[in-house]
Every structure is written in structure tokens, then in C-alpha cells.
Amino acid sequence: MSNSWKASLKSKELFEEYLTNYFSEHKELKGSYDTRSYYEYYTVRLDSRDGLIITFTSGITNPNITNGAASIPYKSTEKMSIEEFRQLVLHKRFADMHASLADVFNSVAGNDDNFQK
């Protein structure tokens, strides 16, 4: 089932069914990206009314960038329908054909070092 999300992309209905099943089993998907100077954490969950709810928390970890001041994390939340997400995925070209669904969320979140745009 790890790559069946790719097959489900062919149809709006199949992709919606796949994500609904995925989130009924996992409740939420978590991911992160960090370097020596920057971090970003995100969670994705499915809401029956609002669709996909993606919450990002990011901040600066290098005190030299903030002139020694403590960095305050920035948090934002975005809502996206399953079909909007499917269209977003369809318009990206993934270099690694063995990407997992978590890899796709990571790439769509903008952390696509392992993927081609």
C-alpha cells in the first residue's frame, strides 16, 4: 500500500478514497525539515468539513541571524481540499519514483531537496 497513492492520483474519487482511508488509520501525518539555521515542522490531518488542514511551524535556530535574540516560531495553518492537493501533486515532477506519501507532503510543503520541480 506504500505506493498505491500514486495509482490513486489517476482519479479524483480514488485519491479521495485513498486519503480518507489513510487518515482514518493514521489520524495525522507529521514531517520536519531543518538545517543549522532554520527549522520547519508540519502536521497534516483530514477534517470532514475543511478537507486537509496543514499546520506549519517554522523558525530560525542560529542566534547569529537574529543578532543574539531568541527566535519566535512562526505558525500558520492552511486548508486545502483533497482535489486541490491532488492537482498540486499532479503538477509536480518527482525524481524519486519510490517516494512515500510523507515524502510528497514534505515536497509540497516546500522541502523538496530530493525532488525535481
Side-chain angles (χ1 to χ4, degrees), residues 55-102:
T55 304
F56 299 97
T57 303
S58 59
I60 297 171
T61 58
N62 186 337
N64 294 330
I65 294 174
T66 59
N67 293 324
S71 171
I72 299 174
Y74 173 75
K75 186 174 184 177
S76 67
T77 300
E78 295 191 29
K79 297 176 183 176
M80 179 182 297
S81 74
I82 291 175
E83 178 58 13
E84 288 171 325
F85 180 68
R86 184 177 85 90
Q87 291 299 318
L88 188 60
V89 171
L90 285 171
H91 291 94
K92 287 204 170 248
R93 292 195 174 110
F94 297 100
D96 181 358
M97 296 309 293
H98 300 290
S100 69
L101 185 61

Side-chain angles (χ1 to χ4, degrees), residues 23 28-31 41-45 53-57:
F23 282 106
E28 70 179 15
L29 179 104
K30 294 181 179 185
Y41 303 108
Y42 65 91
T43 59
V44 182
R45 62 184 177 82
I53 300 175
I54 306 166
T55 304
F56 299 97
T57 303

Side-chain angles (χ1 to χ4, degrees), residues 15-27:
F15 193 65
E16 185 169 338
E17 181 181 338
Y18 180 85
L19 282 186
T20 301
N21 290 336
Y22 179 88
F23 282 106
S24 70
E25 294 175 16
H26 297 93
K27 303 301 178 208

